[in-house]
């Protein structure tokens, strides 16, 4: 994150996620000169991502947009398009459904994730373009950049950082910033 002459932070073109030494479910997220700890999938990283495998996909994923729990987190500074999470917002994770890996509205009976979670993980949730366009069945859904569980517990395949670190990273993110998992 470089500062311009006026003191504003310059947008980052790439966020790099490196494996942390010693534990396959931990990583280091680097944005310019800033490096912060992160949690990744319970199965570590994988080139061959499959639905439900618990792995974080290795590769480049663009940031598309984000969601926030406006009743929990306020005053976010970012150029990334953000949308407030509604009570009826869900994300379909059932591979044989036509809405697979897409935002849907409740009521919705196929398998899904609730975007308005009680545990705070999606209080800030950034959508990555993993398996969005083109979308393939069983290649993984709901791969997000979101907030951590206490103790940096593993994710189901996402990349997660603390609220403090997410607030430090958000100002330099924009639509199209690449999140690169190596």
């Amino acid at each position: 994150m470089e500062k311009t002459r006026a003191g504003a932070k310059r947008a980052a073109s790439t966020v790099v996620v490196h494996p942390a030494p010693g534990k396959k479910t931990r990583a280091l997220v680097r944005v310019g000169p800033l490096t912060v700890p992160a949690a990744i999938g319970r199965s570590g990283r994988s080139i061959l991502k499959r639905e439900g495998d618990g792995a974080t996909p290795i590769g480049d994923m663009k940031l598309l947009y984000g969601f926030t729990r406006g009743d929990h987190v306020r005053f976010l500074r970012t150029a990334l398009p953000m949308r407030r999470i509604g009570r009826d917002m869900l994300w379909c994770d059932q591979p044989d459904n036509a809405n697979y890996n897409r935002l849907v509205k409740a009521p919705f009976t196929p398998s899904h994730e609730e975007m308005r979670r009680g545990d705070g993980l999606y209080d800030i949730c950034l959508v990555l373009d993993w398996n969005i366009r083109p979308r393939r069945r069983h290649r993984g859904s709901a791969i997000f950049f979101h907030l951590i569980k206490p103790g940096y517990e593993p994710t189901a395949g996402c990349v997660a950082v603390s609220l403090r670190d997410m607030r430090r990273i958000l100002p330099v993110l924009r639509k199209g910033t690449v999140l690169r998992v190596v």
Side-chain angles (χ1 to χ4, degrees):
M1 287 182 288
E2 298 176 40
K3 290 195 175 189
T4 63
R5 285 186 181 169
K9 291 180 181 173
R10 183 179 298 166
S13 60
T14 306
V15 175
V16 182
V17 181
H18 293 277
K23 197 164 187 182
K24 71 179 181 180
T25 62
R26 298 291 297 273
L28 298 171
V29 172
R30 185 173 44 86
V31 184
L34 177 66
T35 300
V36 299
I40 58 174
R42 67 181 178 274
S43 300
R45 302 166 301 122
S46 177
I47 292 174
L48 302 172
K49 174 70 183 154
R50 301 293 295 165
E51 184 67 39
D53 66 2
T56 300
I58 293 173
D60 289 1
M61 298 168 269
K62 290 182 181 175
L63 290 169
L64 300 176
Y65 53 90
F67 295 103
T68 184
R69 279 285 302 262
D71 57 328
H72 289 183
V73 180
R74 297 174 188 252
F75 311 114
L76 296 177
R77 290 184 13 234
T78 186
L80 194 63
M82 299 294 286
R83 183 172 170 191
R84 189 174 178 144
I85 297 173
R87 295 184 191 282
D88 63 347
M89 294 172 81
L90 311 169
W91 196 275
C92 178
D93 60 8
Q94 185 166 325
D96 62 355
N97 188 278
N99 294 300
Y100 177 60
N101 201 24
R102 292 210 165 110
L103 185 67
V104 293
K105 287 189 173 193
F108 185 78
T109 54
S111 180
H112 61 271
E113 286 197 41
E114 291 189 25
M115 297 303 293
R116 191 177 176 96
R117 296 174 62 125
D119 61 10
L121 293 185
Y122 292 174
D123 284 2
I124 300 173
C125 178
L126 309 181
V127 179
L128 302 171
D129 74 348
W130 179 259
N131 200 27
I132 301 277
R133 289 179 218 106
R135 187 171 44 119
R136 295 185 191 104
R137 306 286 179 221
H138 302 283
R139 286 291 313 274
S141 63
I143 302 299
F144 301 138
F145 184 28
H146 62 75
L147 303 180
I148 60 159
K149 292 180 182 179
Y152 288 86
E153 288 183 35
T155 69
C158 300
V159 176
V161 297
S162 71
L163 175 59
R164 176 182 176 266
D165 290 335
M166 183 67 84
R167 283 188 179 277
R168 294 167 63 195
I169 295 169
L170 273 173
V172 299
L173 301 180
R174 66 183 187 290
K175 184 175 181 175
T177 297
V178 173
L179 186 131
R180 176 173 293 145
V181 178
V182 295

